[in-house]
Amino acid sequence: MCFKSLRNKEITNWNADIMSNIQYEAHGAVRLITINRPHKMNSLDFEANDELVQIWRDFDADDEARVAVVTGAGDQAFCAGADLKTYTMNFAQAPAPEFRRKYTNGPGFAGITRNFDIDKPIVAAINGFAISGGFELALACDLRFCSPNAEFALQDAKWGFHACDGGLIRLPQIVGLGNAMEIILSGERVNADHALRIGLVNRIYPQDDLLDQTMNYAQMLASRAPLSHRFAKEVMRRAVGLPMSEALALESRSFRDVAMTEDLAEGVQSFSQRRPANFKAR
């Protein structure tokens, strides 16, 4: 299936009055999540952020949904972070404790950057700028594919503050402390080639092929054992910061749990019968 024609139509014919901020589409077991505000570089205002929070909750609760792909409409931006004009207006109008409770203690910017763990694979298709909160959204994904025009930055140090939705925590885990220090302390942009070199992105695809290639990869992931994915993601997430002995014990317990599943029996049988496995997440 080809997805790029739909994306191009969205950016050339957008109408802010009739188009949803976030599009959520089912493609088999893959869910395509598109931030649909190309006229705002796919930045998120409060309404769009709340829509995205609900969409992630729907994805997590949907047993038929095994993999998510998140991208931005058009070819200029994945997500340019928060729509600061609307955030400033809301902060000025809401009492400070209420603001902090709803938008700081909740699931974080873009729905998955804080206080919400999803143990299903999430892939980012980064088609242009991933700046500040948009960068942090990409970091919260498990895999990052990008186009050659992608640029990444946490520009907060230029304006007197620092990242607050996982950038300071996830970036060093992904690219190492030295590379993370350079990105965070300078606030400078990183291009796609440099991002690939330091392990920030997994692959670079031509702009016109990015979404198709990412969706094809996601379909492949969706054919793998979903319980294996969930157990493995949980172990990797929980093992961060643990002593080696505790981390290895966590991995071993998880392996024993996954060994009791019907999916493992199906996987073994499919291997012996030389056929694709039909996993049921049981």
Side-chain angles (χ1 to χ4, degrees):
M1 183 177 294
C2 182
F3 298 90
K4 54 179 175 275
S5 60
L6 173 61
R7 190 178 64 196
N8 290 338
K9 180 179 179 181
E10 287 170 356
I11 190 170
T12 55
N13 296 330
W14 68 267
N15 183 320
D17 294 329
I18 64 173
M19 292 181 66
S20 173
N21 287 310
I22 312 295
Q23 293 185 336
Y24 188 49
E25 306 168 22
H27 299 273
V30 176
R31 299 296 181 265
L32 176 59
I33 301 168
T34 305
I35 302 172
N36 195 30
R37 305 184 79 233
H39 55 297
K40 294 288 187 179
M41 300 294 285
N42 294 319
S43 62
L44 298 179
D45 60 9
F46 274 50
E47 180 182 353
N49 191 78
D50 287 348
E51 285 184 37
L52 198 47
V53 168
Q54 186 57 52
I55 281 173
W56 286 121
R57 288 173 175 159
D58 292 343
F59 168 69
D60 190 43
D62 184 355
D63 291 336
E64 300 300 317
R66 295 187 177 181
V67 181
V69 171
V70 58
T71 192
D75 57 7
Q76 294 183 320
F78 169 71
C79 176
D83 187 339
L84 293 180
K85 181 177 179 180
T86 59
Y87 268 66
T88 302
M89 290 172 58
N90 276 272
F91 184 77
Q93 295 169 4
E98 178 184 340
F99 182 92
R100 285 194 298 269
R101 182 170 57 254
K102 184 173 182 181
Y103 298 105
T104 303
N105 298 332
F109 182 79
I112 56 170
T113 56
R114 191 169 359 96
N115 300 328
F116 188 26
D117 296 315
I118 298 177
D119 289 324
K120 299 178 183 181
I122 302 173
V123 187
I126 304 163
N127 49 314
F129 292 112
I131 305 297
S132 297
F135 190 5
E136 292 176 290
L137 168 59
L139 293 173
C141 298
D142 302 304
L143 299 170
R144 285 159 295 279
F145 299 162
C146 78
S147 54
N149 68 323
E151 292 191 35
F152 306 83
L154 294 172
Q155 298 181 316
D156 312 71
K158 293 183 176 182
W159 321 125
F161 49 103
H162 64 61
C164 65
D165 285 300
L168 304 186
I169 310 305
R170 293 189 178 95
L171 186 59
Q173 295 173 6
I174 294 169
V175 302
L177 187 58
N179 289 316
M181 285 286 188
E182 181 179 4
I183 292 169
I184 291 166
L185 299 184
S186 72
E188 296 298 315
R189 294 178 184 176
V190 170
N191 65 26
D193 288 337
H194 187 69
L196 182 64
R197 192 158 52 245
I198 65 176
L200 177 56
V201 299
N202 299 85
R203 304 183 184 192
I204 301 175
Y205 290 117
Q207 177 78 42
D208 289 344
D209 296 333
L210 173 64
L211 191 56
D212 284 339
Q213 294 282 4
T214 304
M215 289 295 292
N216 288 338
Y217 190 93
Q219 296 287 357
M220 178 274 292
L221 288 181
S223 72
R224 304 302 193 241
L227 292 182
S228 171
H229 284 164
R230 296 177 196 178
F231 282 47
K233 274 195 66 173
E234 182 183 18
V235 168
M236 288 187 280
R237 175 169 47 78
R238 292 176 57 191
V240 174
L242 289 180
M244 180 62 73
S245 60
E246 293 182 28
L248 291 173
L250 180 65
E251 180 187 53
S252 181
R253 287 195 299 270
S254 179
F255 183 82
R256 289 196 298 271
D257 290 341
V258 80
M260 303 299 293
T261 64
E262 293 180 22
D263 276 358
L264 178 63
E266 165 63 13
V268 172
Q269 188 174 39
S270 69
F271 178 79
S272 64
Q273 295 176 353
R274 299 180 182 274
R275 61 170 175 80
N278 182 22
F279 296 116
K280 298 295 181 64
R282 296 197 294 260

